[in-house]
Amino acid sequence: MIDFNTIRAMAESRHASAKLDQVIPDPLEGLSEEARDQKLKDDRRAARKALRDAARDEAAEREWKLTLAKADEVSSSVEELYNSRTMKGIRNRGGSIMVQLSDIHFGCTVEGMEERENANTYGFDKARHRLACLAEQVLFHASAHQAEELVVALTGDIFDSKIGKERKDKMFNSEATACQAYLHGRDLIIQFCEHLRSSELFGSMRIVGISGNEARLYAERGHSHVMAADNWDALLNADLATRYRGSDVETSFGVNRYVADVQGHRVLLLHGDQGLDANLSQNKVQSLLGTHNANFGISGHIHHTMVTTSWVRSASLVGTDFFAGDALGLEGKAQQNIYWLAPGQRNTYVIDLQDPDPAVEPYELFDYSGAFGSA
């Protein structure tokens, strides 16, 4: 509302000797009666609207205050609810941890690939470090699930062979004689198993396994047991059976394939060069599982991890070598798989071992007192 008296006083103070020769008219002056009525109605309507808006603002402010006060009241109980939802279900605890050892290729060396970015190297020194890191990952997942059983599953090509595939790359890039490579590899596998066994995390432990194609002692792979078992992998399995005979560690092996019962899962072990294709096609997987009355399968052979609904393939401990990297143009990583199996559930963990943790102490390489020409 315009304060006419204030305006008049200001004018008089500036022009004390002069009189106002203009008077601001009444805003309703000169309007018809209908126009006056409408103007008054509009003013009253605007005033009522301002009152309503102010009331709405006040009500909204109070509602927010009540909401925030309520949130403060329940925040502590909500936090308790969040904290209470820990792993309580039986589907998260117990069960078995199964670690797959595949395509370790003891005796193989990879060096001289320095022209590549992040060039891979491999030999016994790298193998013993990567294996120790894998064991630490097994213990981590076992602790997380509070697993009751440990299963070590060997799916072949634990050893390299100069005869397997008869490639000159193998003959000229072996780190030791075949016998020395076998003994070093056997020692490292035993250290791996004893590392896990001595943790006392598991109520029971067993070792199962088969042979691969690269560790054979003949140029031809062979499928009969007579030929397929003449193999460094088969010798390792026999040595493990002998070592743990009469102990609390169970051992059971096959030659070309083996089915292990783990927590209600029938797990088929194959190396991967017999009956499977590179893409783990569903029809071949289902055919193999059906033939062996199994519902899950694991393999290796192709050094490339693949996880499907019913089958999982492991990569190698080697990583990229000259044959895969240069001849085939395929890059790889050192990886191995860990599985948690419980009734009605199965989880797969792919463990990256390419760059082993320097904080983890590698396993020991023993010397053999000159038996192989070195002190």
Side-chain angles (χ1 to χ4, degrees), residues 328-349:
L328 302 180
L330 301 174
E331 298 294 327
K333 265 194 169 186
Q335 295 175 331
Q336 297 285 278
N337 296 341
I338 296 172
Y339 310 90
W340 174 66
L341 299 101
Q345 189 165 349
R346 180 184 72 245
N347 293 355
T348 299
Y349 305 105

Side-chain angles (χ1 to χ4, degrees), residues 58-287:
E58 181 181 353
E61 182 180 358
R62 179 170 176 76
E63 187 69 24
W64 274 110
K65 287 181 178 180
L66 291 174
T67 300
L68 292 174
K70 185 66 175 176
D72 289 338
E73 291 177 9
V74 302
S75 62
S76 59
S77 60
V78 170
E79 189 67 25
E80 291 175 3
L81 176 63
Y82 288 158
N83 293 336
S84 69
R85 297 189 67 82
T86 55
M87 295 190 299
K88 292 182 177 179
I90 60 172
R91 291 172 68 89
N92 288 323
R93 291 188 176 188
S96 299
I97 288 288
M98 181 170 70
V99 55
Q100 180 182 2
L101 297 180
S102 190
D103 296 88
I104 308 298
H105 289 278
F106 288 128
C108 165
T109 61
V110 178
E111 55 186 7
M113 302 182 76
E114 290 78 8
E115 70 276 9
R116 297 167 179 263
E117 185 177 359
N118 300 320
N120 182 46
T121 60
Y122 187 71
F124 280 115
D125 275 336
K126 189 61 69 71
R128 66 193 183 114
H129 198 180
R130 287 174 177 171
L131 274 177
C133 289
L134 176 60
E136 292 296 327
Q137 288 287 329
V138 172
L139 297 178
F140 169 79
H141 288 287
S143 298
H145 288 292
Q146 297 185 10
E148 301 162 353
E149 180 193 34
L150 171 66
V151 180
V152 179
L154 297 94
T155 52
D157 283 4
I158 305 302
F159 299 92
D160 220 21
S161 170
K162 296 179 181 180
I163 296 176
K165 290 188 177 179
E166 289 192 317
R167 289 206 310 265
K168 296 296 191 298
D169 271 344
K170 289 183 176 294
M171 297 181 183
F172 291 108
N173 290 279
S174 294
E175 189 169 4
T177 66
C179 292
Q180 185 177 3
Y182 171 77
L183 289 174
H184 279 318
R186 183 199 62 181
D187 291 342
L188 292 177
I189 294 297
I190 289 173
Q191 288 178 77
F192 176 84
C193 292
E194 289 299 312
H195 182 176
L196 299 176
R197 182 188 185 191
S198 64
S199 71
E200 299 184 351
L201 286 178
F202 307 99
S204 61
M205 176 178 173
R206 54 181 159 145
I207 306 172
V208 298
I210 55 171
S211 298
N213 69 310
E214 295 266 355
R216 64 189 183 270
L217 300 183
Y218 295 103
E220 185 183 343
R221 162 70 155 108
H223 301 289
S224 67
H225 288 181
V226 173
M227 288 188 67
D230 210 357
N231 183 301
W232 293 113
D233 291 342
L235 181 59
L236 171 67
N237 295 343
D239 269 352
L240 292 172
T242 301
R243 176 182 178 83
Y244 291 110
R245 181 177 296 125
S247 74
D248 57 351
V249 178
E250 297 180 15
T251 58
S252 185
F253 302 101
V255 178
N256 292 314
R257 55 200 67 199
Y258 180 85
V259 178
D261 287 300
V262 185
Q263 297 290 328
H265 302 268
R266 286 183 55 80
V267 184
L268 173 60
L269 279 63
L270 293 179
H271 177 60
D273 61 321
Q274 298 170 312
L276 287 171
D277 58 21
N279 296 317
L280 296 181
S281 59
Q282 190 173 8
N283 61 336
K284 288 187 177 293
V285 164
Q286 290 181 348
S287 176

